[in-house]
Amino acid sequence: MKCLSSPVRVLLVLVLCTFAAPLRARAHVGSKDVYEQVDAGPYKLFVTIRTPIVIPGVASVEARSSGATVKSIRITPLPITGEASKHPPTSDPMTNSTADPAFFTGSIWMMASGSWQVRFEVAGDAGDQVVSVPVPAVALSTLKMQHGLGVTLAILGLFLVVSMAGIVAAAVRDARLEPGAIPSPNRRRRAILATAGSLVVMALLIWGGAAWWNVEAASYAMDVYHPMSVTPALSGNTLDLNVQSYDGGKERSSRSNKDFLPDHGHLMHLYAIREPEMDAVFHLHPAPASAGDFRISLPAMPAGTYKLYGDIVHANGFPETLVSTITVPADMPGGPIGPDDAKGSPQPLSQGQLGNSYKLPDGYLMVWDRPATVSANTAYAFRFHLLDANGKPATDVQPYMGMAGHAAFVKTDGAVFAHTHPEGSAAMAALMLANGSNESDASDRRGAMNMDMMTHSDPLSSSVEFPYGFPSSGRYRIFIQMKHSATIETGAFDVIVP
């Protein structure tokens, strides 16, 4: 996509495009911003990072503190891995709100695409602490000029060209005349030739500028984020997902299909949601069959078309969500569901909106503390409760893949998908990399990622929170998964975001 499409606009290239047309992000589909709850020692931060849609660009950062009193926060952007991660730039101070001392705001430049982190240096009553939040920084679009602005600049450019030709003509015709003298026919002819020559020169300059701009636009377009493609193939109940590497022509935009990190014990988390009613959802975990190829024996599934969202994390901490579709036939044989897999069967969208409580198949109840108002681009900590068959807080809640719960926020038109956790929207593998020792080598980090997170045996709280903000208005369906005893429950809730 080109910012400037006519030669006259290119003449004014120094007047850059100022309006953008965003594309859907695929590391979380359509949900580019980062929401995270992190602990920096005794300090607790609810962090919101609103990433730019162009790179280089400015990300805005918000942090709300709790726990020990925070006096100041400084922030630094730097890559998660590589040599540059060992040499951070000078940190920038966040501004403390005078109306709310626990609220801090700031901004940072994201200078290149890739897997980044924002490092928070927290100072307060309990001393100094450091914690990092991973941020996938990618260009999501090229800049696009508004039509009215383009017309205005074209008129101004034409005026400048005509004015410059007039100045050249006047200089050749009148510059050496005595005051009051009339130019001779020869001078007039020379002025006409000079005008024509100047127009040719300016036309060549405009053409050269247009060619330069096209090269620059094509180079930048290579940095715009393109998701890795995945090809699904269903044979019987065996689903193969072939993931192709992406070669962007540049090291920072190319991504391999052989460098995935385990996240919550699995290389891929696959959500399958039946379209268009969203009345069947499966959270599955295909296993690698070979480099770039994932395979799973599907459980019994209602027939229909399913939208697939596959979450993966690269070795540098960069997350992606791979999107595809499959059609499940009515006669597909179903295998047993995996030990970490979950399923749900909420009512179809066409039957109305789900409320604040959801009856689960075994008599348990999941309840959402729905905020009084919900708006787009606002950070929330959405709280859910699991009640037993007697309506009491469940006392047998267990970790589900090392977490108190998992959530998927899905827009009903498929434009938004975000798989999140109680810590927030960042992948756990990326969070571990961002907060690990820079001296550790890659194999040590991979080993840490592979550790069994299911060692927790004591019951957890029956309540769980998920930090998130809806990126746009519309209707969403929220899928919440919690585990009690050996049962993995899937609750569903609907919300319309104005």
Side-chain angles (χ1 to χ4, degrees), residues 260-270 283-288 294 311-313 339-341 399-403 406 419 421 427-430 432 445-455:
F260 304 140
L261 289 178
D263 193 31
H264 303 286
H266 298 279
L267 291 180
M268 178 182 285
H269 293 260
L270 180 71
H283 181 177
L284 307 172
H285 301 93
F294 290 83
D311 286 342
I312 56 172
V313 183
D340 282 344
D341 295 345
Y400 176 38
M401 291 184 290
M403 310 296 291
H406 290 247
H419 174 196
H421 310 106
M428 181 57 67
M432 293 175 69
R445 286 174 174 173
R446 287 173 185 262
M449 239 64 79
N450 273 312
M451 67 181 181
D452 182 9
M453 295 182 292
M454 299 300 294
T455 57

Side-chain angles (χ1 to χ4, degrees), residues 4 60 63 90 207 209 224 241 299 301 347 382-383 413 433 483:
L4 300 178
S60 64
T90 302
W207 177 83
V224 172
L241 298 169
M301 301 172 68
Q347 71 180 28
F382 295 116
R383 178 181 286 268
D413 64 0
L433 279 176
K483 183 178 181 181

Side-chain angles (χ1 to χ4, degrees), residues 32-36 46-64 73 75-77 92-95 103-111 117-120 133-137 377-379:
K32 69 179 183 65
D33 295 335
V34 176
Y35 303 90
E36 200 72 20
F46 187 120
V47 173
T48 301
I49 302 174
R50 305 190 187 279
T51 57
I53 61 173
V54 292
I55 301 292
V58 178
S60 64
V61 183
E62 301 171 359
R64 180 171 296 281
I73 303 177
I75 50 178
T76 309
D92 294 316
M94 298 188 75
T95 301
F103 186 66
F104 297 79
T105 58
S107 61
I108 50 174
W109 274 94
M110 311 299 290
M111 297 303 297
Q117 61 179 301
V118 176
R119 180 174 294 174
F120 292 80
V133 173
V135 179
N377 297 306
T378 302

Side-chain angles (χ1 to χ4, degrees), residues 51 53 80 94 122 127-128 151 187 218 245 275-276 282 308 355 362 372 374 390 396 407 422 449 460 466 470:
T51 57
I53 61 173
I80 289 182
M94 298 188 75
V122 186
D128 298 342
V151 171
R187 284 186 177 275
S245 296
E275 295 183 320
F282 293 82
L308 304 181
D362 62 353
V374 177
N390 297 317
D396 57 348
M449 239 64 79
L460 300 178
F466 297 94
F470 296 104

Side-chain angles (χ1 to χ4, degrees), residues 34-220:
V34 176
Y35 303 90
E36 200 72 20
Q37 293 186 127
V38 292
D39 293 339
Y43 309 111
K44 299 181 182 298
L45 301 180
F46 187 120
V47 173
T48 301
I49 302 174
R50 305 190 187 279
T51 57
I53 61 173
V54 292
I55 301 292
V58 178
S60 64
V61 183
E62 301 171 359
R64 180 171 296 281
S65 67
S66 58
T69 301
V70 174
K71 295 180 179 178
S72 66
I73 303 177
R74 300 184 68 90
I75 50 178
T76 309
L78 68 163
I80 289 182
T81 60
E83 185 64 26
S85 67
K86 304 175 184 179
H87 308 285
T90 302
S91 60
D92 294 316
M94 298 188 75
T95 301
N96 189 204
S97 171
T98 55
D100 184 357
F103 186 66
F104 297 79
T105 58
S107 61
I108 50 174
W109 274 94
M110 311 299 290
M111 297 303 297
S113 298
S115 184
W116 286 70
Q117 61 179 301
V118 176
R119 180 174 294 174
F120 292 80
E121 301 169 11
V122 186
D125 292 346
D128 298 342
Q129 297 287 340
V130 177
V131 68
S132 292
V133 173
V135 179
V138 291
L140 300 177
S141 87
T142 55
L143 294 176
K144 184 178 181 180
M145 184 177 293
Q146 283 190 340
H147 178 72
L149 179 60
V151 171
T152 300
L153 293 179
I155 293 173
L156 290 175
L158 182 61
F159 173 77
L160 288 175
V161 169
V162 173
S163 299
M164 181 62 71
I167 291 172
V168 171
V172 172
R173 185 184 61 236
D174 301 329
R176 297 185 179 183
L177 289 179
E178 295 293 333
I182 297 175
S184 64
N186 182 52
R187 284 186 177 275
R188 290 195 180 97
R189 284 192 298 272
R190 289 170 58 190
I192 292 173
L193 292 174
T195 301
S198 66
L199 289 173
V200 170
V201 170
M202 285 184 283
L204 290 174
L205 290 174
I206 292 171
W207 177 83
W212 167 81
W213 184 270
N214 289 340
V215 171
E216 290 295 311
S219 175
Y220 184 84

Side-chain angles (χ1 to χ4, degrees), residues 347-485:
Q347 71 180 28
L349 293 171
S350 60
Q351 291 186 10
Q353 187 169 339
L354 294 170
N356 298 343
S357 62
Y358 186 85
K359 190 75 171 180
L360 298 163
D362 62 353
Y364 275 56
L365 190 71
M366 199 175 290
V367 178
W368 179 22
D369 285 347
R370 185 192 298 260
T373 59
V374 177
S375 58
N377 297 306
T378 302
Y380 295 93
F382 295 116
R383 178 181 286 268
F384 299 86
H385 309 272
L386 185 63
L387 308 181
D388 63 20
N390 297 317
K392 303 295 184 181
T395 59
D396 57 348
V397 178
Q398 294 293 326
Y400 176 38
M401 291 184 290
M403 310 296 291
H406 290 247
F409 296 83
V410 190
K411 200 170 184 179
T412 56
D413 64 0
V416 174
F417 171 87
H419 174 196
T420 72
H421 310 106
E423 282 79 5
S425 58
M428 181 57 67
L431 195 64
M432 293 175 69
L433 279 176
N435 289 281
S437 169
N438 282 334
E439 286 74 27
S440 299
D441 61 26
S443 62
D444 290 338
R445 286 174 174 173
R446 287 173 185 262
M449 239 64 79
N450 273 312
M451 67 181 181
D452 182 9
M453 295 182 292
M454 299 300 294
T455 57
H456 194 289
S457 59
D458 297 329
L460 300 178
S461 169
S462 61
S463 300
V464 62
E465 286 186 350
F466 297 94
Y468 187 66
F470 296 104
S472 58
S473 60
R475 185 178 179 182
Y476 291 78
R477 178 155 282 185
I478 306 170
F479 300 102
I480 304 297
Q481 277 139 7
M482 298 178 69
K483 183 178 181 181
H484 68 90
S485 295

